[in-house]
Amino acid sequence: MLHDFPSRVDEFIGNLIESSDPSLVPFLVADIVYSWAATIAKKYNLVNVSFWPAPALVFAINNYYYDHLSTNGHFPRTDDLVYSIDYIPGVESISNKDLMPYLHEVDTTTVTHKILIKAFEEDKKPTYAIGPVNLSSECIKTRVPKSLLFEVDCSKWLESKPPGSVLYVSFGSIVQTNKQIIEAIAQGLLLSEVSFVWAIRPKIVSSIDDSENVLPAGFEDNIKDKGLIVPWCNQNAVLSDPAVGGFLTHCGWNSILESMSCGVPMICYPVMYDQPTNRKLVVDDWKIGVNLCDGISINGAEVASKIKQLMCEKTSVDIRNEMMKLRSILHDALAEEGSSNRNFDQFIQDLKHKMHV
Ligand SMILES: *[C@@H]1O[C@H](CO)[C@@H](O)[C@H](O)[C@H]1NC(C)=O
């Protein structure tokens, strides 16, 4: 990302400009972490635009934390204490344990730190809240797959299940977990007796190669018709299926938005990046989900009790009510006259102004 990619993008943009009418490519949008993209934009006389795909809360923390956390002695971390941080502009008091894991690391010279420090040093421009982009009608219509893995169609299997009875389990397209977590979830699913679709993609456990089964011995025989295990599937299709009533997720931001859009409450097991902070939003602030386990250790019995709590209509009624409220906020944002279109129009207007057209 830092050494090899910039020259390729530079060459790509150069070719693009050479081969077409330059007025067709007047600005360059790049993910915030590609801070070098602004330099390439400058070289070709393009306006540089940064894209931030995660929640505003995480943006705000990143944007201010180097200054404020270090002035307050909270970064780099020097102890294991739990404390609340109430001095980040625009952010309500937040516990340090809910910050992104890279803020807890003692070694702040890693590639992640380098990339983020550089990205947020430069990024103090006007911001526009546009989206959720992955749920915009254009994005849904074109159905661009979010992974190169083949998507197994689960609809036939789901057809035989009662409404809201199935738990969907997936850790997204990037993060890896360990065998103990997989075993605890497998045990929890069996004990809960809840039906499930489980997407277990290759390399979900880094220490196990593709030929080995990551699931506990005998698990697949025990589940009978209770569970469907697939390497990958179309997440939006599964979440919007009426049979699905819960989502055990690693709390990637796209997953959370897709779950909210379909009104499916969540069981949260965050792993890295922004996921622990996203968990705080889902469980503590919005109350549309529960933790996989409340303590530090993950065990099958507690997993089963959390699954039953979320999937049972009686014990999840408050969570489902909150979810319906948030779902309509999300859909309102995407409506014709909603905040997403309004902010997008403003963004285009300001951009034109910058480009003097
Ligand atoms: C990118 O755009 C911002 C805002 O317009 C500007 O301040 C900054 O100088 C630009 N960066 C480069 C490298 O041109």
Side-chain angles (χ1 to χ4, degrees):
M1 275 167 63
L2 287 176
H3 303 294
D4 191 41
F5 200 28
S7 63
R8 290 168 191 253
V9 174
D10 188 331
E11 191 187 338
F12 176 79
I13 306 242
N15 290 341
L16 199 64
I17 287 178
E18 218 167 84
S19 65
S20 60
D21 174 354
S23 67
L24 290 178
V25 278
F27 64 99
L28 178 65
V29 187
D31 194 292
I32 280 186
V33 301
Y34 299 133
S35 50
W36 40 262
T39 316
I40 296 175
K42 195 172 184 181
K43 174 174 169 186
Y44 294 105
N45 214 8
L46 309 172
V47 174
N48 72 79
V49 179
S50 296
F51 179 64
W52 174 253
L57 170 62
V58 176
F59 178 85
I61 296 172
N62 272 321
N63 216 3
Y64 293 107
Y65 90 97
Y66 300 103
D67 305 341
H68 289 70
L69 283 180
S70 41
T71 328
N72 283 275
H74 289 149
F75 179 82
R77 199 196 63 170
T78 51
D79 54 48
D80 284 326
L81 302 177
V82 174
Y83 47 85
S84 55
I85 292 165
D86 55 7
Y87 47 76
I88 298 178
V91 176
E92 277 180 39
S93 176
I94 183 169
S95 166
N96 65 330
K97 69 176 171 38
D98 292 323
L99 292 178
M100 297 76 84
Y102 47 80
L103 298 185
H104 298 296
E105 279 160 25
V106 176
D107 176 11
T108 59
T109 61
T110 67
V111 174
T112 308
H113 289 99
K114 273 191 206 139
I115 289 174
L116 285 170
I117 288 174
K118 186 133 187 15
F120 282 92
E121 251 170 18
E122 291 172 6
D123 220 272
K124 305 274 193 258
K125 314 175 188 181
T127 55
Y128 305 86
I130 296 164
V133 281
N134 57 328
L135 299 166
S136 65
S137 50
E138 288 78 7
C139 202
I140 300 275
K141 243 186 289 166
T142 49
R143 288 178 60 101
V144 180
K146 297 189 185 77
S147 160
L148 296 175
L149 294 169
F150 175 75
E151 295 174 346
V152 176
D153 182 359
C154 305
S155 57
K156 266 253 132 22
W157 187 87
L158 287 167
E159 241 170 46
S160 65
K161 304 292 172 197
S165 68
V166 175
L167 180 71
Y168 167 55
V169 185
S170 174
F171 276 16
S173 49
I174 298 171
V175 304
Q176 294 187 312
T177 182
N178 62 50
K179 211 167 167 175
Q180 287 74 34
I181 302 297
I182 299 277
E183 274 167 12
I185 292 173
Q187 199 190 0
L189 285 167
L190 275 183
L191 287 171
S192 74
E193 297 182 6
V194 163
S195 297
F196 62 90
V197 170
W198 192 352
I200 304 186
R201 52 160 228 279
K203 306 222 163 38
I204 183 125
V205 174
S206 53
S207 59
I208 291 180
D209 70 43
D210 289 347
S211 59
E212 231 179 303
N213 195 346
V214 297
L215 288 164
F219 178 72
E220 279 145 294
D221 300 327
N222 283 333
I223 57 176
K224 304 194 181 73
D225 69 337
K226 274 266 177 229
L228 178 67
I229 296 167
V230 296
W232 197 243
C233 56
N234 180 320
Q235 179 154 297
N236 257 327
V238 171
L239 285 171
S240 56
D241 195 292
V244 171
F247 182 13
L248 198 170
T249 172
H250 69 304
C251 296
W253 192 237
N254 281 342
S255 289
I256 289 174
L257 292 173
E258 286 164 10
S259 211
M260 283 167 70
S261 163
C262 298
V264 175
M266 287 161 264
I267 302 177
C268 296
Y269 183 72
V271 181
M272 62 207 291
Y273 308 131
D274 55 332
Q275 297 151 20
T277 313
N278 301 346
R279 180 218 66 83
K280 182 213 181 254
L281 291 172
V282 169
V283 178
D284 303 348
D285 296 356
W286 299 336
K287 304 187 171 32
I288 53 174
V290 296
N291 297 322
L292 181 64
C293 285
D294 287 319
I296 295 165
S297 70
I298 307 288
N299 67 79
E302 193 176 353
V303 171
S305 109
K306 291 305 179 97
I307 293 175
K308 283 196 274 195
Q309 180 197 342
L310 191 88
M311 299 304 288
C312 162
E313 253 171 63
K314 269 206 198 107
T315 47
S316 64
V317 61
D318 293 341
I319 288 179
R320 280 169 206 280
N321 286 342
E322 290 308 312
M323 180 53 106
M324 284 307 129
K325 285 186 215 159
L326 275 175
R327 181 191 188 182
S328 60
I329 293 174
L330 189 150
H331 286 272
D332 288 350
L334 289 170
E336 192 67 36
E337 302 289 321
S339 60
S340 185
N341 279 337
R342 274 203 320 274
N343 293 338
F344 188 71
D345 290 345
Q346 184 67 51
F347 162 69
I348 294 293
Q349 240 181 55
D350 294 353
L351 201 59
K352 283 183 171 163
H353 183 73
K354 248 193 167 67
M355 298 186 301
H356 313 289
V357 289

